[in-house]
Amino acid sequence: YERVWMPRSVAPGARPAKAARVVASERNGESGRVTDLTTTAPKPGLAQPGAPRRQSTQKILEAAEQVFAEHGYGGATMAAIARAAGLPKPNLHYYFGSKDALYAALLENILSLWLDDADLWLIAERDPATALSGYIRAKLAWARERPEASRIFAGELLTGARHIDAYLRGALRARVARIDTVFATWRA
């Protein structure tokens, strides 16, 4: 399988063009982990539309992941995230509006990353054992590579999931329903 993972962190609600490649390189030939974080290259001589916005939001989300993981939601500040991102604090408010919105966007980004692997592995055409073990390996690989993401998500769930409740009730519900149809196919 070849698929490129395009980070949904580009902007809340934005969906960049996907050109994807799954890198299958572990022992059994199927890592299943979506590993390539590159975007489609712009045409030579032309600036890619929205590139500064995508770069800024990506920098902000990466910095936010580090700051929220280190200090928790309550201890993190927009000023600390701006410093870590190397951007002026007003940029954070311009792109995300508030600390709550930035935190929710970060959580959605984390979930999207994990669920993209679920979409790759949990398909009806795959043997259930292969699909589940592939997804578990992919999720564990992300946990090793980005332990802060797992820490942030676990902390959110332990505190009642108030920042991501709307996502859990909306977009996530649709993705889980799709996965449920796969499990129903396997049971049949």
Side-chain angles (χ1 to χ4, degrees), residues 9-146:
S9 63
V10 169
R15 293 198 58 73
K18 287 191 178 185
R21 189 172 69 237
V22 165
V23 179
S25 63
E26 288 188 9
R27 283 183 218 119
N28 65 356
E30 283 193 13
S31 71
R33 217 168 126 256
V34 181
T35 58
D36 190 341
L37 303 178
T38 60
T39 59
T40 305
K43 293 181 181 176
L46 297 177
Q48 188 174 6
R53 179 179 186 90
R54 281 192 296 278
Q55 291 169 350
S56 292
T57 55
Q58 184 64 34
K59 282 175 74 170
I60 293 167
L61 287 168
E62 289 171 2
E65 185 172 319
Q66 296 304 312
V67 173
F68 283 123
E70 185 176 339
H71 301 287
Y73 177 81
T77 65
M78 294 293 267
I81 296 167
R83 273 191 307 279
L87 295 169
K89 183 178 164 185
N91 283 26
L92 277 67
H93 291 284
Y94 174 77
Y95 291 119
F96 294 99
S98 67
K99 178 178 162 180
D100 280 350
L102 173 55
Y103 191 64
L106 176 61
L107 290 165
E108 287 180 26
N109 178 266
I110 291 167
L111 272 175
S112 292
L113 181 73
W114 297 341
L115 292 172
D116 285 348
D117 280 331
D119 290 342
L120 171 70
W121 280 100
L122 304 178
I123 57 175
E125 296 79 21
R126 233 186 252 283
D127 169 68
T130 302
L132 292 170
S133 65
Y135 176 65
I136 291 167
R137 280 193 319 274
K139 173 59 181 88
L140 290 173
W142 280 121
R144 281 189 301 274
E145 185 174 316
R146 291 180 55 193

Side-chain angles (χ1 to χ4, degrees), residues 138-159:
K139 173 59 181 88
L140 290 173
W142 280 121
R144 281 189 301 274
E145 185 174 316
R146 291 180 55 193
E148 298 84 6
S150 294
R151 188 175 310 121
I152 291 167
F153 187 72
E156 173 67 7
L157 293 180
L158 290 172
T159 58

